[in-house]
Amino acid sequence: MTRYIALLRGINISGKNKIAMAELKKEFSVLGFADVSTYLNSGNVAFSSDISDNSAVSDMIMQMIKERFSLDIPVFTITQDELADVLENAPEWWGNDDKSVYDNIIFMLSPLTYDELLRSLGEPNHEFEKVQNYKNAVFWSYDLKNYRRTNWWQKTANADVSQMITVRTAGTVRKIVK
C-alpha cells in the first residue's frame, strides 16, 4: 500500500466551497482508500491505497468531489515519501522558528511548470521574499511586516495559474507528512 497526501485547493475558505471533513473522510473510504485522516479544515487528507498512480488517484478524488459535493476542486496528490523528500530538500532559510517570516510551500498541479509559474507571478521581490523550486513544489517565504510589498502575495490568489497551485504553510506540511 502507498501512503498518499491529497491537498484540495480552495475549500472552506471564507464560507466558499464548504466540505465537512467528516464527510470528506467518509467519501475517501467509500472510494476504497484506507487509514483516512484529515488535518485542519482546509482539505488536507492522508490515506493509503493500492493504486500506485498519483494522477489516477487525483482523478478519482476530483470525480468524487464533483459527484458528492457538486464542486470542481483541483486536487494535488503526492505520496508521503515524495513529500518527505520535498521537505528534506528545503532550503536552509525555509521553515525555521523565525516568527517574523511566513513560510509556505506552493504545490504546482500538473502540467504547470516552475517556469510557467514564474512567468505568471513575476520575479519575487528579493528584498522581502525568497523562493526556491524543488520538483513540483516551491518553497516561498516572506517578511510578515512587509507582505504587501512582496510580488507574489496577492498574485498567488489572482494569477492566471491560481487554479493550478495550492499553498500550505510549513507547519501544516510538516504535520501531514507524519
Side-chain angles (χ1 to χ4, degrees):
M1 281 242 185
T2 302
R3 189 76 177 154
Y4 284 99
I5 311 296
L7 306 174
L8 285 63
R9 188 198 179 287
I11 68 163
N12 299 331
I13 297 176
S14 301
K16 295 181 182 176
N17 299 330
K18 288 185 176 185
I19 300 177
M21 292 299 101
E23 288 182 51
L24 186 64
K25 185 177 174 180
K26 181 184 119 210
E27 294 299 329
F28 267 69
S29 295
V30 169
L31 286 176
F33 300 141
D35 305 316
V36 181
S37 63
T38 61
Y39 179 71
L40 298 176
N41 199 36
S42 55
N44 306 300
V45 186
F47 60 97
S48 298
S49 176
D50 289 330
I51 302 168
S52 60
D53 180 345
N54 287 17
S55 181
V57 170
S58 288
D59 289 346
M60 288 174 63
I61 296 166
M62 285 187 291
Q63 186 64 34
M64 174 271 292
I65 292 169
K66 189 175 229 170
E67 290 172 5
R68 175 62 179 89
F69 301 101
S70 301
L71 295 171
D72 193 13
I73 301 291
V75 175
F76 179 84
T77 307
I78 189 168
T79 69
Q80 186 175 27
D81 290 343
E82 289 168 336
L83 186 53
D85 175 59
V86 168
L87 291 178
E88 287 172 14
N89 286 281
E92 287 182 26
W93 48 261
W94 184 87
N96 57 35
D97 292 328
D98 184 349
K99 301 297 182 205
S100 69
V101 175
Y102 201 71
D103 298 305
N104 293 299
I105 296 185
I106 300 171
F107 293 99
M108 299 175 290
L109 287 78
S110 181
L112 183 65
T113 66
Y114 178 68
D115 289 339
E116 292 168 330
L117 178 73
L118 196 57
R119 274 194 298 278
S120 180
L121 299 180
E123 284 292 326
N125 181 341
H126 296 290
E127 186 176 349
F128 303 111
E129 61 192 328
K130 295 179 182 180
V131 300
Q132 182 173 315
N133 180 50
Y134 180 75
K135 295 186 177 179
N136 55 1
V138 180
F139 298 95
W140 172 41
S141 298
Y142 55 85
D143 177 7
L144 274 174
K145 288 182 183 176
N146 292 294
Y147 72 94
R148 291 190 182 272
R149 296 173 74 186
T150 69
N151 285 345
W152 283 24
W153 183 75
Q154 289 183 331
K155 291 180 182 179
T156 56
N158 301 316
D160 57 346
V161 297
S162 66
Q163 291 297 313
M164 298 188 72
I165 62 174
T166 189
V167 182
R168 297 297 188 275
T169 66
T172 296
V173 174
R174 287 191 173 122
K175 295 262 186 198
I176 60 179
V177 79
K178 292 181 183 183

